[in-house]
Amino acid sequence: MNVVPEGYHTVTPWLITAGHTAELIDFITEVFDATELGRVGEAPRIGHAEVRIGDSVVMLFDVPDWPPTPAFLRLYLADDATTLKRAVALGGRIVTEPTELFWGDRVSRFADPFGNLWWLHQRVAEPTEAELGARMRDPVFIEAMKYVQSADFTPRT
């Protein structure tokens, strides 16, 4: 018997809202071309829902009077720029613009309208060990890292 059920991974994130889970599901399916796997209950009181983004499941539910609890999620995508544009078109707020970092990922971040922060990663280079060392000292990549690390994200309540 498998320890992890088929279609799931060892870690499965939960996203919790105080009555906005249905809207969050719509946002996720539009932005990430995700598939809703099912839900129990109706808005504004969904007791359990699941969506699949790529090969991962994200679970969601509503809890009345739940304090704002932002999630921080990192996704690898084939087209980070298009995903970021869709997120902004649906009310997301850019936290960092797409920025290539020394290890070979282009990274951007956005806050969704529900208070969650999403890291979008796209692999754009496969540096060797020697190239990694050189890239870490390259002023372009040093500035890129400063930019990404300096971005201010304060969850909105």
Side-chain angles (χ1 to χ4, degrees):
M1 177 167 53
N2 291 331
V3 174
V4 179
E6 186 175 332
Y8 292 81
H9 292 119
T10 304
V11 176
T12 302
W14 283 98
L15 300 178
I16 305 166
T17 74
H20 300 286
T21 294
E23 297 151 270
L24 180 53
I25 291 168
D26 291 343
F27 182 85
I28 290 170
T29 57
E30 288 287 326
V31 170
F32 299 108
D33 195 28
T35 302
E36 181 177 343
L37 301 176
R39 65 174 83 180
V40 176
E42 297 294 326
R45 181 68 188 213
I46 294 175
H48 180 88
E50 296 183 11
V51 296
R52 182 174 308 281
I53 303 172
D55 64 356
S56 298
V57 173
V58 176
M59 296 183 178
L60 310 96
F61 66 96
D62 289 309
V63 178
D65 303 319
W66 189 264
T69 309
F72 295 72
L73 299 130
R74 175 182 174 181
L75 292 81
Y76 274 94
L77 304 162
D79 187 349
D80 62 318
T82 297
T83 301
L84 184 60
K85 286 178 188 172
R86 282 197 305 256
V88 170
L90 292 169
R93 176 178 53 88
I94 293 175
V95 175
T96 52
E97 295 285 347
T99 305
E100 185 176 345
L101 298 173
F102 73 88
W103 64 85
D105 286 0
R106 184 171 53 228
V107 177
S108 59
R109 291 179 288 183
F110 75 88
D112 70 25
F114 309 93
N116 303 298
L117 183 66
W118 300 83
W119 271 262
L120 307 181
H121 286 244
Q122 181 174 338
R123 195 76 177 156
V124 294
E126 292 286 348
T128 65
E129 287 296 320
E131 290 169 332
L132 274 174
R135 288 168 69 113
M136 286 177 70
R137 294 183 300 278
D138 184 327
V140 169
F141 290 111
I142 291 170
E143 286 304 311
M145 184 60 80
K146 283 182 185 176
Y147 164 66
V148 170
Q149 290 177 334
S150 71
D152 180 30
F153 172 72
T154 303
R156 294 181 178 167
T157 57

